[in-house]
Amino acid sequence: MTLVSRIVVRTALAICQMALVSPVAAAPADPSGTWLTEDGRARIRVERCGSKQEQICGYIVWAKEPNDANGQPLKDLNNPDKTKQFRPVLGHQLIMGLKLNPAGRFEGQIYNAENGKSYEISLWREAIDLKVKGCMMSIFCATQTWTQTTNAVPGQLVGMTGDPNGPKADKEWMQKAQAKPPATTRASK
């Protein structure tokens, strides 16, 4: 074997060995859980949603100030969808079906009930925290760190999504009811 052939073979073997030992990209850490926002004003339950549970949705399950000046539950009065303007802020869906991007982050929209607007966000789990990056017009961006909570505090919605003591998914994100099998009839004798 010539010197050039040996160099080519050794180089090829080295490349193959590096390919075998190089780490495979790990799946992103699941962001599901209940998270305290950076300013401490709300707890957001993040969970899988969509027909194949491949997307991420989020719901307000606790608010530091859930009532207005008259002691009534805050309503989503600024929502551009008039059918949602009288729903309580506590329990409503604010993270809308984020999808996994090639960088291993979930991205999509978050709704702000304080002004009735939606913003582009991406979120990902970093160590023990959840990072939430929001952008206006894809130019002005800021990142918050949300801290996971494992306890329930007074006033927190603890039921499953859609249950009476749980948050409510927007209609487009509700789980489709299981189709009932057709009723069977017996032939009479």
Side-chain angles (χ1 to χ4, degrees):
M1 192 181 269
T2 67
L3 178 63
V4 173
S5 299
R6 281 187 278 181
I7 292 172
V8 170
V9 169
R10 286 182 184 161
T11 304
L13 286 172
I15 290 171
C16 288
Q17 285 177 335
M18 288 181 354
L20 290 174
V21 296
S22 65
V24 177
D30 187 1
S32 296
T34 302
W35 303 90
L36 180 65
T37 58
E38 189 172 89
D39 62 10
R41 293 175 46 203
R43 287 181 177 209
I44 311 300
R45 181 187 300 162
V46 175
E47 59 189 42
R48 296 287 180 161
C49 62
S51 61
K52 298 179 184 172
Q53 300 291 297
E54 76 283 7
Q55 294 172 292
I56 298 294
C57 290
Y59 310 88
I60 297 178
V61 294
W62 175 84
K64 188 173 187 177
E65 296 178 21
N67 298 324
D68 64 17
N70 297 323
Q72 297 300 311
L74 288 173
K75 303 286 184 195
D76 192 6
L77 298 174
N78 295 316
N79 197 310
D81 181 343
K82 297 207 182 293
T83 64
K84 296 178 181 176
Q85 290 181 346
F86 293 97
R87 70 179 178 176
V89 170
L90 182 64
H92 89 274
Q93 183 172 351
L94 74 156
I95 296 176
M96 311 299 175
L98 306 182
K99 295 180 181 179
L100 188 62
N101 71 17
R105 296 179 176 183
F106 292 90
E107 59 184 16
Q109 297 216 330
I110 190 168
Y111 170 73
N112 182 350
E114 291 177 353
N115 62 12
K117 295 184 180 181
S118 294
Y119 301 95
E120 296 298 317
I121 66 163
S122 62
L123 65 78
W124 64 98
R125 201 160 184 166
E126 192 170 280
I128 59 171
D129 296 321
L130 190 68
K131 298 292 185 177
V132 182
K133 180 180 180 182
C135 296
M136 288 183 1
M137 301 181 293
S138 300
I139 299 171
F140 306 105
C141 300
T143 302
Q144 289 189 6
T145 300
W146 293 1
T147 307
Q148 190 164 27
T149 63
T150 55
N151 64 330
V153 293
Q156 182 171 326
L157 300 177
V158 293
M160 300 297 292
T161 302
D163 286 348
N165 192 27
K168 307 293 184 256
D170 286 352
K171 287 181 184 177
E172 59 270 27
W173 295 105
M174 286 182 188
Q175 291 294 323
K176 302 287 185 229
Q178 294 283 332
K180 292 182 180 178
T184 58
T185 58
R186 291 186 172 173
S188 58
K189 293 187 180 180

